[in-house]
Amino acid sequence: MKGKATVLCENSIYSQVGAIAEHGWAVYIETDKGNFLFDTGQGKAIINNALFFKKDLSKIKGIIISHNHIDHTGGLLSVLEQTGNVEIHSHPGLFNDSYIFEGKNYYRYIGIPFREEILKAKGAKFKFNTNFRAIISDMMLSGEIPRKTPFEKGDNRLFIKRKEGYVKDVVVDDQTLILNTDKGLVIILGCSHSGIINILNYIINKTGQTHIHTIIGGTHLGVADNETLDRSIDALKHFDIENIGVSHCTGLKASAKLYQEFGNRFFFCNVGHEIDI
Ligand SMILES: [Fe+2]
Ligand SMILES: [Fe+2]
């Protein structure tokens, strides 16, 4: 597979007057096998930035949603208004009733802000998966990631509301996109709720390939404790990673540490950033 990927939604932006940043994540993927959209941001930036970067949302073959959180799904309805009928590849947990605990008994809803029926009426053709599978040749979606490392403990502020009350949410729906290119794997993370090391180990196990040309996206190291951060960065150094561009929930402290470790191989993957596939 060949092509390029352009970040349409991310938390920060430099020197692009007219495009906007928001807490969210979306990537427009152009390939020799068709164009796809990975995530949709929180909904305020996607249409503006697609126009700004001249990325035609009506010409995509499919939408991939990494997980149900609003900062990845909030733009879905407005994207569907541009696409009409389109396949949406996601985990069936897309409509989970998800919350973040903000203290003092306050749980804030952070799930997808649209009902399934409304999205279907706008043209959404859902293709749900829980296992590793190819969307097209050389473009794979991870499915659920086995949680194996002892140090990746997840985000303990996340809950799902059930009949019995709020229960801990490990975000089982968290998925990563994997592109197979001549230069190696290109890996596009959502938020890495499964742990970035768990994700990379699983991808290498499933693809049998160890060379990662580029990895971009949210690492969720921004909320990791010091032990998780240090051990994750230490483990990352043992992978064969040519370029690492962190985004979104990585945060400035973890980004600075990663820059220290990876030097020229590191970049901030912000709004408008383009990578080769
Ligand atoms: Fe998330
Ligand atoms: Fe996120």
Side-chain angles (χ1 to χ4, degrees), residues 42-277:
Q42 63 164 274
K44 296 181 179 67
I46 187 88
I47 300 299
N48 178 80
N49 290 357
L51 280 169
F52 182 84
F53 293 109
K54 299 186 172 55
K55 304 301 173 192
D56 190 347
L57 292 170
S58 71
K59 293 221 174 79
I60 53 176
K61 279 176 83 172
I63 299 169
I64 300 120
I65 300 290
S66 66
H67 65 300
N68 74 329
H69 289 158
I70 187 171
D71 48 322
H72 301 254
T73 56
L76 191 50
L77 193 63
S78 42
V79 170
L80 281 170
E81 275 160 8
Q82 312 255 322
T83 61
N85 289 348
V86 69
E87 288 186 350
I88 299 181
H89 305 272
S90 159
H91 188 281
L94 183 62
F95 295 96
N96 281 348
D97 201 10
S98 300
Y99 292 78
I100 187 164
F101 180 63
E102 299 207 317
K104 292 185 183 165
N105 282 330
Y106 178 54
Y107 293 83
R108 178 166 56 88
Y109 181 73
I110 55 165
I112 186 168
F114 313 111
R115 287 185 190 279
E116 188 170 357
E117 296 71 32
I118 288 170
L119 298 173
K120 281 182 173 167
K122 288 284 182 186
K125 308 281 175 220
F126 288 104
K127 298 267 177 186
F128 291 127
N129 73 300
T130 55
N131 295 322
F132 188 95
R133 80 170 174 92
I135 294 171
I136 55 170
S137 63
D138 294 330
M139 178 183 280
M140 287 81 70
L141 197 50
S142 68
E144 295 175 14
I145 305 287
R147 322 283 169 116
K148 292 194 168 170
T149 59
F151 54 88
E152 292 177 300
K153 303 175 203 100
D155 188 334
N156 63 11
R157 303 167 303 164
L158 304 178
F159 291 85
I160 294 185
K161 195 175 180 183
R162 299 206 193 280
K163 277 191 201 119
E164 63 268 31
Y166 292 98
V167 296
K168 194 158 168 25
D169 184 10
V170 298
V171 197
V172 73
D173 50 314
D174 173 51
Q175 297 203 72
T176 294
L177 191 70
I178 304 113
L179 309 174
N180 194 14
T181 81
D182 296 345
K183 297 169 229 153
L185 297 176
V186 171
I187 294 174
I188 304 180
L189 305 162
C191 262
S192 299
H193 286 291
S194 325
I196 186 169
I197 306 304
N198 284 327
I199 292 170
L200 295 183
N201 282 334
Y202 188 64
I203 290 170
I204 287 169
N205 182 275
K206 290 308 256 185
T207 61
Q209 295 186 57
T210 53
H211 181 63
I212 298 165
H213 176 63
T214 304
I215 179 166
I216 62 169
T219 64
H220 224 65
L221 292 172
V223 294
D225 57 28
N226 284 338
E227 190 215 353
T228 303
L229 180 56
D230 290 346
R231 291 185 69 180
S232 299
I233 290 177
D234 204 46
L236 266 179
K237 289 190 287 185
H238 292 92
F239 290 93
D240 177 14
I241 301 172
E242 207 173 317
N243 305 286
I244 179 164
V246 296
S247 319
H248 184 46
C249 48
T250 305
L252 294 177
K253 180 181 163 193
S255 298
K257 284 197 166 210
L258 284 162
Y259 177 47
Q260 242 175 1
E261 294 296 339
F262 284 85
N264 289 338
R265 294 184 289 154
F266 172 93
F267 58 99
F268 289 104
C269 195
N270 309 121
V271 173
H273 203 99
E274 207 172 276
I275 61 158
D276 280 338
I277 290 170

